[in-house]
Amino acid sequence: MSGDTMNLNIVFNAGMYDLGKPLISRGLLKNGNHDNQFSYKEGWNVMFAINPLDSVNAPDAVVYDMQCVTFDSIRSKYASFAQGLRMLDCSGNPMNWKKNQSCSMLVCAHDDQENLIILFNRSPFSQNQMIGFMKQFPTPLHNAIYMEGGPETSLYVSIGDFCLQKVGSYVSGTYPKDTNETFWRLPNVIGVRVKNK
């Protein structure tokens, strides 16, 4: 994966997608006037919002808990949204995932200073194990969103002389092996460009 063509510094999965319909996100996904998936998915109670329409009064990238903030209240504040599944709620309370699956995964959350934290793990853990790890962070985390799991899980960071390229592999049941070493072709990504100060 390379951010060179779009001058991006950070690139990662824009949520889960269906391998049978790989171009379409499983949750709501939109960028400006383009709706990749216009349907709001009930039960997916967290929203990643970027590209604020009023950058003075809104963070550049933020995860909202849809049980604490309504989608209607933020719909007109951002140009881009990616819907996902909660791991920690707006108060940092852990969600209990019923699905017993172990996988590599990418999670985004906020710390107590409202910094956006991107978490990547290649080792296969269940979502409940990952939630347990997040609860042990030295700074409390909240509004955690599960972005993707398995070999599709991707994280690319290139800032100055620092470059980080991470790919997932294992997912129990469908890809139970630690052999993936390349970025998969992803239908949708979130790209971040670092502002020059």
Side-chain angles (χ1 to χ4, degrees):
M1 181 181 288
S2 173
D4 295 343
T5 56
M6 296 183 69
N7 196 28
L8 297 172
N9 300 106
I10 304 171
V11 183
F12 54 91
N13 305 78
M16 293 179 282
Y17 62 96
D18 188 337
L19 290 174
K21 296 183 291 184
L23 296 180
I24 306 300
S25 175
R26 293 176 62 194
L28 183 144
L29 181 64
K30 71 174 292 156
N31 181 35
N33 294 325
H34 173 70
D35 290 315
N36 173 279
Q37 171 60 271
F38 62 86
S39 298
Y40 183 91
K41 193 170 183 74
E42 294 299 328
W44 287 36
N45 292 320
V46 67
M47 191 73 72
F48 194 108
I50 52 177
N51 296 329
L53 300 176
D54 179 2
S55 59
V56 175
N57 295 314
D60 291 329
V62 61
V63 181
Y64 287 103
D65 183 337
M66 297 288 91
Q67 296 296 298
C68 299
V69 174
T70 65
F71 185 49
D72 284 342
S73 71
I74 62 171
R75 188 190 298 265
S76 63
K77 295 182 179 180
Y78 291 86
S80 307
F81 296 96
Q83 188 180 15
L85 295 166
R86 278 190 310 176
M87 300 184 82
L88 299 173
D89 71 11
C90 61
S91 298
N93 297 314
M95 301 295 98
N96 182 31
W97 281 48
K98 295 180 180 178
K99 190 172 185 179
N100 186 19
Q101 180 189 64
S102 297
C103 61
S104 306
M105 72 183 81
L106 181 82
V107 178
C108 293
H110 288 290
D111 66 10
D112 57 0
Q113 301 297 311
E114 297 304 326
N115 296 305
L116 181 67
I117 308 297
I118 302 173
L119 305 163
F120 174 94
N121 71 281
R122 180 176 171 97
S123 299
F125 295 108
S126 72
Q127 286 82 7
N128 286 325
Q129 284 177 305
M130 189 65 175
I131 289 167
F133 296 150
M134 287 191 284
K135 291 299 294 178
Q136 297 177 44
F137 265 53
T139 178
L141 299 179
H142 62 280
N143 286 18
I145 180 174
Y146 178 89
M147 300 303 293
E148 186 57 281
E152 303 98 314
T153 309
S154 305
L155 176 61
Y156 171 86
V157 180
S158 179
I159 301 174
D161 294 331
F162 176 79
C163 185
L164 176 74
Q165 299 183 59
K166 293 291 184 180
V167 295
S169 186
Y170 191 101
V171 56
S172 58
T174 59
Y175 199 93
K177 49 192 174 182
D178 188 31
T179 56
N180 183 49
E181 297 181 352
T182 61
F183 285 104
W184 282 32
R185 292 173 62 88
L186 300 177
N188 305 295
V189 297
I190 291 173
V192 177
R193 189 175 297 124
V194 175
K195 292 179 179 178
N196 293 323
K197 294 184 179 180

